[in-house]
């Protein structure tokens, strides 16, 4: 792979090719000693078109090997206009990919498969569609998710129903070939503001409790956000036992995908993080879209989903560049914490100022005019991430986004967070497992530095540590000038 000019916004540790369009992660599967991550990919440009399945694999979640494109649209075929989203399973020494066969001349996306007998290097498509027609009461139909449960294969398909509800439809099979339709597995209600359709359904078991993750979609607005439903299953139907909640509190994540990790019973998740800049800027850069870092997904004792960066990412920490403990800041005296690189991993414990917003500012310009704020608002009990001043280019989107921080903690209890920043993406994790993901595009020459601040009349106490992150062998990281550990929004319709 030839070296490309360094792009200051191309992520170094997040998974994506060095060029062109990326969206939904697909086909997450562990097979033959490797984690395989597929993804929606246009190999010809930075726009949503010519959708193929790109492919990486890894033995350790840190070093990623680019593999040949797995699925390519067949001219004139049942997937002539795109090999859209789905997943994959490992069975009997082979991988079977289930995907949505897209053609512009039909509104639904039939389900079909491709099989690899050489561990993902080459793929053979089935000659006929697996499920050619949607059920009669649907107005949207796509995105299969297949898993093994109780000695049977099961499949969810994202859908919209004629009565206005979003749905995940259930199929079952004994052999991966003959599938029986069992009806809606779970549906939304019809209240105002409810999604019209669900894309990319994902399903996970935690003992006798279940988690259904769906990506909310409307005909007018398209993709919007991702929602978690926790509950139980009985007689082929899922029932929520708690109100649905966002999977991610940021504005830029959609279409996450799950996989079961081998050996340690972990669930791993990747999501698509779209661009938060105007199309012409992405076209100039020659790339769009990125996948999150791999996240571990757990279910807490009170039934809420918690996400944390996969434990393997700790090995990507390089030099510790900041270590400040026992400090405090007042309004009149912001505290300079020190310089950071453009790719870093930070942990912080903040005791908020009870009289005003307080927290951390990532300053990316020498004069302090370009910055990203991460602060605690005691009036609302929220962590606030404000990117209104994070880029000097007006083509970058602004906005403030919030996560409620634990309200049951007694006064004076630190709010703990972890922040992974990678050039143009920030993933902010609270200690209770809530997360906020967003994109930002600094233009100034820097250097980048961190500052503790408060707007209140009191003080904020803090302890902060940060490490440079040393990219593993990732294609985008290498193209962006990262140091290898080993040799070597557009939105979907």
């Amino acid at each position: 792979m030839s070296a490309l000019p360094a792009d200051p916004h191309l992520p170094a540790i997040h998974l994506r090719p060095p060029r062109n369009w990326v969206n939904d992660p697909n086909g997450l599967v562990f097979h033959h000693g490797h984690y395989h991550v597929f993804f929606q990919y246009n190999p010809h440009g930075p726009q949503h078109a010519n959708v193929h399945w790109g492919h990486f694999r890894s033995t350790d979640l840190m070093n990623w090997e680019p593999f040949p494109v797995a699925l390519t649209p067949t001219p004139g075929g049942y997937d002539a206009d795109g090999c859209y989203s789905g997943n994959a399973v490992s069975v009997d020494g082979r991988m079977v990919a289930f995907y949505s066969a897209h053609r512009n001349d039909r509104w639904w996306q039939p389900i079909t498969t491709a099989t690899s007998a050489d561990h993902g290097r080459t793929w053979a498509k089935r000659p006929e569609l697996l499920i050619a027609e949607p059920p009669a009461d649907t107005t949207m139909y796509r995105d299969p998710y297949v898993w093994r449960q109780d000695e049977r294969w099961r499949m969810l398909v994202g859908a919209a129903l004629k009565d206005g509800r979003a749905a995940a439809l259930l199929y079952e099979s004994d052999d991966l070939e003959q599938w029986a339709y069992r009806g809606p597995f779970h549906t939304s209600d019809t209240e105002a503001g409810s999604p019209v359709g669900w894309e990319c359904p994902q399903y996970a078991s935690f003992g006798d409790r279940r988690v259904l993750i769906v990506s909310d979609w409307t005909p007018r607005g398209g993709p919007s956000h991702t929602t978690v439903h926790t509950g139980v299953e009985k007689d082929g139907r899922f029932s929520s036992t708690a109100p649905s909640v966002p999977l991610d509190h940021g504005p830029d994540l959609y279409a996450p995908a799950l996989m079961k990790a081998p050996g340690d019973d972990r669930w791993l998740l990747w999501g698509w993080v779209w661009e938060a800049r105007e199309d012409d800027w992405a076209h100039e850069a020659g790339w769009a879209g990125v996948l999150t870092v791999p996240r571990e997904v757990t279910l807490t004792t009170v039934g809420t989903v918690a996400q944390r960066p996969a434990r393997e990412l700790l090995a990507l920490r390089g030099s510790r560049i900041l270590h400040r403990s026992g400090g405090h800041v007042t309004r009149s005296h912001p505290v300079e914490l020190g310089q950071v690189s453009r790719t870093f991993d930070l942990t912080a414990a903040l005791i908020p100022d009870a009289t005003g917003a307080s927290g951390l500012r990532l300053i990316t310009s020498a004069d302090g005019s370009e910055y990203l704020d991460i602060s605690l608002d005691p009036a609302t009990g929220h962590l606030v991430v404000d990117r209104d001043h994070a880029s000097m280019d007006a083509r970058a989107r602004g906005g403030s986004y919030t996560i409620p921080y634990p309200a049951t903690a007694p006064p004076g209890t630190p709010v703990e967070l972890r922040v992974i920043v990678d050039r143009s993406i920030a993933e902010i994790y609270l200690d209770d497992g809530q997360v906020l993901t967003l994109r930002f595009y600094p233009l100034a020459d820097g250097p980048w530095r961190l500052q503790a601040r408060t707007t209140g009349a009191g003080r904020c106490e803090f302890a902060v540590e940060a490490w440079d992150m040393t990219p593993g062998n990732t294609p985008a990281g290498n193209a962006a000038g990262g140091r290898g550990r080993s040799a070597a929004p557009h939105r979907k319709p």
Side-chain angles (χ1 to χ4, degrees):
M1 182 181 298
S2 60
L4 295 171
D7 182 337
H9 298 123
L10 185 66
I13 65 163
H14 286 74
L15 193 58
R16 62 151 293 121
R19 301 283 292 177
N20 300 322
W21 170 272
V22 165
N23 62 290
D24 307 5
N26 294 145
L28 308 184
V29 64
F30 189 83
H31 174 82
H32 199 63
H34 290 84
Y35 298 92
H36 291 261
V37 172
F38 303 84
F39 52 94
Q40 300 282 275
Y41 176 51
N42 177 4
H44 306 301
Q47 58 277 334
H48 185 264
N50 307 304
V51 174
H52 297 51
W53 272 32
H55 185 190
F56 294 120
R57 75 173 190 176
S58 172
T59 59
D60 59 10
L61 300 179
M62 295 179 293
N63 299 288
W64 292 92
E65 177 184 3
F67 249 41
V69 168
L71 302 180
T72 299
T74 299
Y78 53 59
D79 58 6
D81 297 308
C83 300
Y84 277 21
S85 292
N87 80 326
V89 297
S90 175
V91 57
D92 298 332
R94 59 198 170 98
M95 281 193 287
V96 182
F98 293 77
Y99 69 99
S100 304
H102 179 59
R103 286 184 62 111
N104 293 332
D105 58 4
R106 63 177 175 235
W107 61 261
W108 73 98
Q109 294 172 17
I111 310 305
T112 193
T113 65
T115 300
S116 176
D118 57 4
H119 312 305
R121 293 189 181 277
T122 61
W123 294 80
K125 297 178 183 179
R126 64 185 303 114
E128 304 293 337
L129 291 165
L130 182 69
I131 302 175
E133 298 288 336
D137 60 346
T138 56
T139 58
M140 184 192 88
Y141 184 85
R142 51 179 176 255
D143 305 341
Y145 176 77
V146 176
W147 77 103
R148 183 80 168 168
Q149 181 180 326
D150 299 331
E151 305 306 317
R152 300 203 75 192
W153 292 101
R154 313 183 82 201
M155 178 195 298
L156 295 180
V157 179
L161 304 181
K162 286 184 178 179
D163 62 9
R165 292 178 297 161
L169 308 180
L170 177 64
Y171 292 78
E172 292 184 331
S173 172
D174 291 323
D175 60 3
L176 292 179
E177 290 292 329
Q178 302 298 319
W179 290 87
Y181 177 52
R182 303 302 190 195
F185 186 64
H186 192 55
T187 66
S188 69
D189 55 37
T190 56
E191 295 178 358
S194 296
V196 172
W198 281 340
E199 297 187 294
C200 303
Q202 307 287 305
Y203 194 56
S205 300
F206 298 89
D208 60 355
R209 297 181 296 174
R210 304 288 189 265
V211 168
L212 175 66
I213 300 174
V214 292
S215 293
D216 295 345
W217 178 92
T218 62
R220 177 173 296 180
S224 58
H225 62 281
T226 302
T227 302
V228 177
H229 303 260
T230 58
V232 296
E233 181 187 339
K234 184 178 180 181
D235 299 328
R237 297 294 182 267
F238 175 88
S239 298
S240 297
T241 56
S244 60
V245 295
L247 177 76
D248 191 290
H249 293 266
D252 299 326
L253 183 140
Y254 193 73
L258 287 168
M259 71 166 291
K260 195 72 168 292
D264 55 9
D265 206 33
R266 284 187 299 168
W267 285 97
L268 298 175
L269 177 146
W270 282 258
W272 166 39
V273 188
W274 53 47
E275 296 300 310
R277 55 182 173 176
E278 295 301 321
D279 293 347
D280 62 339
W281 192 353
H283 292 168
E284 291 166 11
W287 64 276
V290 63
L291 303 188
T292 63
V293 298
R295 300 175 179 179
E296 296 180 12
V297 178
T298 57
L299 197 62
T300 68
T301 56
V302 296
T304 59
V305 166
Q307 300 173 76
R308 291 176 177 81
R311 63 197 68 169
E312 286 85 351
L313 297 186
L314 292 173
L316 295 182
R317 286 178 174 177
S319 303
R320 187 170 69 175
I321 49 179
L322 291 179
H323 179 60
R324 298 290 297 268
S325 60
H328 70 272
V329 60
T330 62
R331 181 168 55 193
S332 58
H333 293 93
V335 175
E336 298 291 336
L337 300 175
Q339 291 186 14
V340 292
S341 66
R342 292 174 180 257
T343 301
F344 64 90
D345 187 354
L346 174 146
T347 61
L350 305 172
I351 299 178
D353 184 342
T355 64
S358 57
L360 304 175
R361 174 170 289 184
L362 173 60
I363 301 172
T364 54
S365 64
D367 64 2
S369 63
E370 187 181 73
Y371 56 86
L372 179 74
D373 272 341
I374 303 172
S375 58
L376 303 176
D377 183 353
T380 62
H382 284 77
L383 180 142
V384 181
V385 184
D386 184 346
R387 66 180 181 189
D388 277 341
H389 301 277
S391 177
M392 294 187 294
D393 195 314
R395 295 175 295 173
R397 298 193 184 102
S400 293
Y401 305 92
T402 65
I403 314 177
Y405 58 79
T408 57
T413 300
V415 176
E416 298 184 19
L417 61 150
R418 182 174 175 187
V419 181
I420 293 178
V421 170
D422 188 11
R423 297 173 178 243
S424 66
I425 181 172
E427 299 186 40
I428 297 106
Y429 299 82
L430 282 176
D431 192 51
D432 65 358
Q434 296 185 92
V435 60
L436 189 156
T437 304
L438 53 66
R439 303 294 302 278
F440 70 113
Y441 304 89
L443 288 185
D445 291 335
W448 287 18
R449 68 187 196 274
L450 279 169
Q451 189 180 76
R453 302 173 60 87
T454 182
T455 64
R459 71 183 202 172
C460 169
E461 298 181 23
F462 61 82
V464 178
E465 285 190 284
W467 297 261
D468 280 331
M469 295 197 81
T470 305
N473 185 29
T474 61
N478 292 342
R483 296 166 290 164
R485 299 176 73 85
S486 61
H490 286 286
R491 303 178 184 179
K492 69 178 184 178

